[in-house]
Structure formats: structure tokens, C-alpha cells
Amino acid sequence: MVCGAGKTGPVGFRYWRNPGPWGPGILVKGNKNTAQFLGWLSSLINAAFTFQGTELVGVSAGETANPRKSVPSAIRKVLFRILIFYVLCILFLGLLVPYNDDKLEGGGYTKTSPFIIAMNNSGTKILPDIFNAVILTTIISAANSNIYCGSRILYGLAQSGVAPKFFTITNKGGVPYYAVVFTSAFGALGYLAVSDEGNKAFDWLLNISACAGLIAWGWISFTHIRFMNILRSRNISRDSLPFKAKFMPWSAYYATVTIFIITFVQGFSVFWDFNAAGFFTGYVSLILFVALWIFFHVLFNGVGKSSWKWRNVFIPLDECDIDSGVREIEELEYEEEEPKNLWQKFWAAVA
């Protein structure tokens, strides 16, 4: 479509020249630069939600054959998938749909999808139907991934004593079916989007999950900083690890600071026209996180003054356990079959 497929002809950078790559902005009148910055910030926060889930590759390590080989390979492939399926898609959408397209306003989520708008504008009638089929497949895949990871995280929490013990019950295949059923039940909340009134509740849940994902990202980055400090304190080289992330520790510091800043400012729009409902929608995940952290800290450490000592908030580096299970994992041997035909080689490269 960018190069000329459809009735619009070659689009190229047409809409970047007229009406331009930047919209008028939001919230602030009389200061275009500030308004555009706030618009960019709002889109950044919304985009963060769509990227969430890339970190779940680590959750699957416990049930992956030869995780020391397959997990690093999967992590490397995630970068290329983000570049292809996210960055390039955003670039093409920016080329194909002008910011002042009337169809971007009003209607349901499907009608205002820039993908559907771009295809409808091109005049290719069958493309929207094909795209909807692709989206349906993607949604099923995402649901499957989220149920898998959510149930395993719940299983881990139950093993740690911060979730009911019955979530640790598994069948003969090792599947924590109570955790799977409990996690799957939240999928029914998607039906809130069926009605117009339900859209508000759906947006509320969307904001909660987006903020929760940002909090998780921030603590993953902070945990990695602590992990590197532990290695340094014990004179363990990062070269001994099966996978060594690049640009460390600076990228971890950058991620931690940036994500926590975004977490705190992600509800900024509510302060232009403050209302309690909007504030609660934007920051309920942050409030819940703090409340739950205090609850479990008191549960495990008590309420006395000694329970709030630094060592009870953050375990000292020399007491952190990073050795349990390492020997058993290192002693495991895996037999892998090399791909024999073209299809197997292709699947091994992309999967």
C-alpha cells in the first residue's frame, strides 16, 4: 500500500508532508510544542502496553528442553520480532494513515484500528477480512501465552507461600490445573467490551494491566542490577553465564529509571481536569503494589521496628541464594535432533 497497491496509488511520505507527521497535541492550548510532547508521551505509555509480554520468555525456562540453549536463542529472536512486527508496522501505519483521518475518532476498537483504516483507504476490500482473521489468530495465541505464564507465576507464588497452596496441585503431566482455571477465568472480562458502558470498565482494566506491566518491567531491571552486584561481590564473571545481555549494567540502570518515571507519570492527563475516578484508574496498580508489598512484608517480618531494617527490605548480597539448583541443571544432558529438512530448518530459525 505504501508503494502503490490500492486506489490511493503510491502513498510514500505523502501524509508526512500534508497534514504532517505530528498532530496538534493534547491538553495544552497555545503551546504547540508542549501539547505535541504530551501527545507523544501519551502514545508512549499506550505503546508500552503492547510491548508487554516479551519478558515472559524467562517464565517458560522451567519447562523448556535445554533452557541454556533455547532461552538465549529465544531472547535474541525477540529483538528481531520487535523490529519487524512492531517498529516497521508503526512506521507503515504512520505513512498510510494521517493523524487527522476522521475514522480514527469514534466507533469501536475494530473500526478505529489504524490497520483497518489503512486497508479501507486503499480500497482493497478483502484485506480487512484477512487482517481480522490474522488478529483473531493472534488473540488466541496471546491468550494461550498469557494463561500459560499467568498460571505458572501463580504456581510459583503458591510455592513461595504468598498464594493459596492448592494452586501448587498439578496433574500427572505437571500442569497446575487449578492455577490454569483461575487464570483463564479472567478472560471472561473481555466481554465487557461488548457494550458501550462496558468499554469504560474495559479501559479501566487496560490501564491497570498496563501499569502493572510497567511495574514488573521496572523490578525485573532492578533485580538484574542486584544480580550483577551479587556476581561482582563473589568474583563470578558474567562470561560464565549461559546468556550475557549486552550494554550492562548501564542498560539496566536506564531501563529501571525510565520505567519508574513512566510508571509515575502515566496518569498525567488526570491532573489537567482532576477527578477521583480518573486518578484511581491511572494509579490503582501502583497503589495495589504498595499495599500488597506492605502487607506481605508485615506478614513475613512482623510490625516491629526491627522488621523495617534495611536487611529486611533488601536481602544483603552475601545472603542472596543464586546457587540452589544450579548443579542439578548443569548435570542435565539433552539430546537434540538436528533439523533434517527445509521446513524443520525454517521452523528452528523462526520459532
Side-chain angles (χ1 to χ4, degrees), residues 72-86:
S73 176
I75 292 172
R76 295 186 186 98
K77 291 172 183 175
V78 164
L79 174 62
F80 294 103
R81 290 171 182 172
I82 288 175
L83 291 175
I84 294 172
F85 296 110
Y86 285 76

Side-chain angles (χ1 to χ4, degrees), residues 126-272:
I126 195 173
L127 275 181
D129 296 327
I130 295 175
F131 182 77
N132 283 330
V134 172
I135 288 297
L136 178 60
T137 305
T138 305
I139 290 172
I140 294 173
S141 175
N144 182 55
S145 173
N146 289 330
I147 291 172
Y148 169 80
C149 293
S151 61
R152 269 52 178 188
I153 291 172
L154 189 57
Y155 173 80
L157 291 173
Q159 282 190 319
S160 301
V162 293
K165 279 294 182 184
F166 68 86
F167 285 127
T168 61
I169 299 174
T170 62
N171 61 15
K172 293 181 180 179
V175 178
Y177 51 90
Y178 283 119
V180 170
V181 171
F182 182 80
T183 306
S184 302
F186 285 90
L189 295 174
Y191 289 106
L192 289 171
V194 173
S195 65
D196 293 335
E197 293 78 9
N199 276 340
K200 295 180 180 179
F202 186 78
D203 288 337
W204 187 68
L205 291 171
L206 197 65
N207 289 335
I208 291 174
S209 58
C211 184
L214 288 171
I215 294 171
W217 277 0
W219 284 107
I220 288 172
S221 300
F222 179 76
T223 301
H224 192 72
I225 293 172
R226 292 267 294 170
F227 175 68
M228 288 188 292
N229 290 338
I230 294 169
L231 295 180
R232 191 179 301 111
S233 68
R234 301 181 187 182
N235 295 319
I236 300 175
S237 173
R238 292 179 66 235
D239 294 329
S240 64
L241 302 176
F243 176 77
K244 184 174 67 173
K246 296 181 179 180
F247 311 116
M248 290 294 176
W250 306 114
S251 55
Y253 282 109
Y254 170 78
T256 302
V257 173
T258 304
I259 289 169
F260 279 121
I261 290 175
I262 294 175
T263 301
F264 280 99
V265 305
Q266 51 89 26
F268 70 92
S269 59
V270 71
F271 296 103
W272 260 261

Side-chain angles (χ1 to χ4, degrees), residues 9-84:
V11 175
F13 290 87
R14 178 192 308 173
Y15 297 130
W16 283 25
R17 293 189 293 270
N18 182 29
W22 291 89
I26 60 174
L27 299 176
V28 177
K29 296 181 179 180
N31 191 326
K32 185 177 180 180
N33 292 333
T34 301
Q36 288 179 337
F37 171 77
L38 293 177
W40 171 82
L41 181 60
S42 177
S43 65
L44 176 67
I45 294 167
N46 291 330
F49 171 77
T50 64
F51 280 86
Q52 289 168 13
T54 55
E55 74 283 357
L56 296 180
V57 64
V59 178
S60 62
E63 299 183 36
T64 303
N66 196 1
R68 286 178 166 247
K69 179 181 178 181
S70 57
V71 172
S73 176
I75 292 172
R76 295 186 186 98
K77 291 172 183 175
V78 164
L79 174 62
F80 294 103
R81 290 171 182 172
I82 288 175
L83 291 175
I84 294 172

Side-chain angles (χ1 to χ4, degrees), residues 11 14-16 18-21 93-104 117-118 121:
V11 175
R14 178 192 308 173
Y15 297 130
W16 283 25
N18 182 29
L93 288 176
L95 294 173
L96 292 169
V97 182
Y99 70 80
N100 60 352
D101 193 305
D102 294 335
K103 292 184 282 296
L104 289 171
I117 293 172
N121 289 347

Side-chain angles (χ1 to χ4, degrees), residues 68 323-332:
R68 286 178 166 247
D323 301 314
S324 295
V326 173
R327 180 177 298 177
E328 291 82 353
I329 293 174
E330 290 178 342
E331 291 176 351
L332 290 175

